[in-house]
Amino acid sequence: MNAMNKTKIPIPIYLLIGIIAISFSSIFVKWSDASASIIAMYRLFMTNVLMLPFLWNYRNEFKRIKGRDWLRTAISGIALGLHFLFWMDSLRYTTVASSTAILTLEPIFVLVGAFLLYGVRTSRTSLIAMCIAIVGAICIGWGDFQFSGEALKGDVLSFVGTIAVAFHMLLGKSLRERISAYVYSFLVFFFAGLTLAVTNVYSGESFTGYPWKEWGIFFLLAFVSTIFGHYVFNWLLKYMKASSVSMTVLGEPLGASILAYFLLGEKITTMQLLAGCLLLVGVAIFLRSNEKP
């Protein structure tokens, strides 16, 4: 895991890998018949299992974590668990394009939170670029927005999940200044999984009896979307502003919509493609103006 710190691969490559990885999340969730809380729980616990072979190398760092950081890491994990719970459940009621488009509000929440909590300011160019990218992302899912019935319920769930992940991102930025990506990610995934396990016990969900197909989906979510997605973004938090990492996540609606077209048969329109180009332009300008070379 720590090999990432020694590589000469440019950061944009990591961003691209992360975006592609998380874009597969909605596809895997749509393929599963298990409840959102079960999918999210096993996704996170399986990620912990995949990370276990490296645990011994970081034993001393675990001992150096202070009580306050343990508490903040636990809260960050709970926020991530709630994000997975609400966002995955939203996909039961609304389309991939609509649900992921709502996630584009994340950088706004992160930007406001970073200013209020850490005094981080953003240039006018960055703000304009963010608006361009968010307009593009919303246009991708605009045709699928429905303001009534189950679709509205799905959109609300996605919105609540977006607030939770923004809070997780803000805490992560602070903690990553003192804790390595591996240790932070391992603990956050564990606390998030534990949060979902408690939720499943409370709601009476079955922990066993799932077919091999479901276990395969849980593994793909852990290996592809969490290790190559969320872990990569946690690593980047030390080298980029939280708002910049959140902005790159705006690529998910475009990536998820394209994947949904090929793998789920969901429609993709000319407007969505043009909106995707607008989104990419906005993200590129934002990163260029918000991050120092």
Side-chain angles (χ1 to χ4, degrees):
M1 292 288 178
N2 59 357
M4 293 176 68
N5 298 318
K6 301 176 182 178
T7 183
K8 297 298 182 181
I9 298 175
I11 280 181
I13 300 299
Y14 285 118
L15 292 173
L16 180 61
I17 292 172
I19 291 169
I20 293 173
I22 62 172
S23 294
F24 272 99
S25 295
S26 52
I27 306 300
F28 296 147
V29 173
K30 282 282 192 179
W31 281 346
S32 177
D33 295 318
S35 68
S37 56
I38 286 291
I39 298 171
M41 181 189 72
Y42 279 121
R43 166 187 184 167
L44 292 160
F45 282 153
M46 282 190 176
T47 303
N48 280 137
V49 171
L50 290 171
M51 296 175 72
L52 275 177
F54 305 92
L55 191 64
W56 183 253
N57 297 333
Y58 294 88
R59 61 191 182 281
N60 292 327
E61 184 177 347
F62 279 98
K63 297 176 184 178
R64 292 194 299 267
I65 300 177
K66 298 179 180 179
R68 183 179 60 180
D69 284 343
W70 276 104
L71 177 61
R72 290 180 177 178
T73 303
I75 295 173
S76 180
I78 292 170
L80 181 63
L82 293 176
H83 159 67
F84 283 136
L85 176 65
F86 291 121
W87 175 70
M88 286 183 174
D89 203 28
S90 76
L91 293 169
R92 302 298 186 202
Y93 304 101
T94 190
T95 63
V96 170
S98 178
S99 180
T100 53
I102 291 172
L103 285 174
T104 62
L105 296 173
E106 178 189 339
I108 295 179
F109 297 144
V110 170
L111 201 66
V112 172
F115 174 74
L116 294 176
L117 295 175
Y118 309 123
V120 177
R121 297 182 178 274
T122 305
S123 67
R124 183 179 300 177
T125 301
S126 296
L127 291 174
I128 294 173
M130 175 186 287
C131 292
I132 292 172
I134 290 175
V135 167
I138 290 176
C139 286
I140 290 175
W142 183 256
D144 297 304
F145 284 126
Q146 298 178 37
F147 300 99
S148 62
E150 288 196 337
L152 176 61
K153 180 180 179 180
D155 293 340
V156 171
L157 287 170
S158 182
F159 180 80
V160 176
T162 302
I163 295 175
V165 76
F167 187 63
H168 156 73
M169 190 71 72
L170 287 166
L171 279 174
K173 175 60 180 175
S174 173
L175 289 164
R176 278 289 287 117
E177 298 296 330
R178 302 180 295 279
I179 304 175
S180 69
Y182 174 89
V183 172
Y184 171 72
S185 297
F186 186 90
L187 291 174
V188 162
F189 296 155
F190 175 76
F191 285 122
L194 197 60
T195 300
L196 292 159
V198 172
T199 302
N200 288 324
V201 171
Y202 179 78
S203 60
E205 293 285 351
S206 174
F207 282 65
T208 58
Y210 297 99
W212 284 109
K213 168 203 164 187
E214 295 295 337
W215 294 108
I217 292 172
F218 301 158
F219 175 80
L220 287 173
L221 278 164
F223 184 71
V224 177
S225 302
T226 312
I227 293 292
F228 286 96
H230 287 273
Y231 181 89
V232 169
F233 289 132
N234 286 342
W235 177 76
L236 287 169
L237 280 173
K238 186 171 183 177
Y239 307 102
M240 300 177 67
K241 295 178 181 178
S243 57
S244 294
V245 177
S246 293
M247 275 296 291
T248 61
V249 178
L250 292 188
E252 183 179 358
L254 178 59
S257 297
I258 293 173
L259 290 171
Y261 173 79
F262 288 105
L263 300 175
L264 300 178
E266 293 189 4
K267 295 181 180 179
I268 184 167
T269 65
T270 302
M271 184 184 112
Q272 287 177 317
L273 289 174
L274 293 174
C277 294
L278 186 66
L279 183 154
L280 294 175
V281 169
V283 171
I285 296 174
F286 183 92
L287 293 178
R288 186 178 181 85
S289 60
N290 198 49
E291 292 293 326
K292 295 180 181 179

